[in-house]
Amino acid sequence: MVSARSWGRTGATGRPLDLRSSQVRLLLLLLLLPLLHVWATTPEPCAVDDDDFRCACNFTAPEPEWSSAYQCMSAVEVEIRGGGRSLKQFVKFANTDPRQYADVVRALRLRRLTVGDAQVPALLLFALLRGLGSSRLNHLTLEDLEVIGSTPPPPPEATGPALSTLRLRNVSWAAGGAWLAQLQLWLKPGLTALTIAQAHSLAFPCADLRAFPSLTSLDLSDNPGLDERGLAAALCRDKFPALRELALRSTGVQTPGGVCAALAAAAVRPQHLDLSHNALRAAAAPGAPPCVWPSALSSLNLSSAGLEQVPAGLPAQLSALDLSNNQLNREPRPDELPKVRELALAGNPFQDPKNSGVVSACERLIQALGLSGTLVLLQAARSLA
């Protein structure tokens, strides 16, 4: 017989409890192994870094756990990707009065938000902007989205966030070319940087588009079908009065002169213009009238453009000209170049040591400096002349 006093030490069998407990733990471990395998092969849709600074969610599972996004409530940078599925099921929340949760939104640390890889009803997208109106969000990125359905009526005044940067890549809109004018009505003034890549429509109805008084940087790169004609349609006249930087990489433009004409028609006067990674022609288009470049233009990037000679019709004076990684077989003559303080020529065939067998000290200097700002050999020659 086992006494009541000894029961707690030995159990019913009289054996020590620590042995029995070890057996129980082993049995539980064997039972949990299949579950541990499932958990290991089914990653969480959301991941937060150790500092609660960045949170990324990718809802690719057949039945996504949307509630996992609550992990991102304390993050500064949040990325939400919908796994290519439709978000129609959330339209029922679009009519929620944002005043009900304004205090919660105001307390969020959120500064940067990326939403991508989903089919989003326009009603839901603009409800999201309205809901974030009281937040401190200043960078918004929309990628790989299909915005479907009609746009809700615009508010009497902008109720969305006060963004400084807006980036869009591969976003299609049911509204067609009117999407920018409609989106603009929901955002508070103050946007300084706008990027639109792989756009389905850049033919904006200029009459409906308001001016961007604070916009200093516009990047239309990675729109290979844009060309000079599309650029003239996208740059609505007098809508970009403060623009200082214009990037047109891989946009299908063919001549610097054609871009100059589009800038003149839109009254756009950038200080920095990037035409790199386009198949540029050195000769001006037949019958094209001479173009007067904006006097404010100080930096022109024509790198990686397949140029075999310096294009005609460049500005008469520049602070920086980038002709690197082209097909120049000889060093440009003084009469082919504008007056320029910094000239980049690295990566052209005439600098290849295999072409002549001799590398001059000046050529070695150009190769060392590269794109960071090559000293102008030509001006050195002029000073010695």
Side-chain angles (χ1 to χ4, degrees), residues 145-164:
L145 292 181
E146 180 185 0
V147 182
I148 60 174
S150 57
T151 304
E157 59 181 14
T159 57
L163 298 178
S164 63

Side-chain angles (χ1 to χ4, degrees), residues 81-104:
R81 299 193 177 275
R85 53 176 43 84
S86 173
L87 303 183
K88 287 182 179 180
Q89 59 179 305
F90 299 108
V91 171
K92 57 186 177 183
F93 301 110
N95 293 325
T96 304
D97 188 349
R99 291 175 295 184
Q100 297 179 10
Y101 49 84
D103 291 340
V104 175

Side-chain angles (χ1 to χ4, degrees), residues 51-89:
D51 299 323
D52 283 343
F53 185 86
R54 189 176 190 280
C55 179
C57 299
N58 193 0
F59 296 100
T60 57
E63 297 183 2
E65 291 288 341
W66 298 107
S67 60
S68 297
Y70 283 114
Q71 300 179 46
C72 301
M73 290 287 288
S74 61
V76 176
E77 296 183 1
V78 176
E79 180 178 338
I80 305 291
R81 299 193 177 275
R85 53 176 43 84
S86 173
L87 303 183
K88 287 182 179 180
Q89 59 179 305

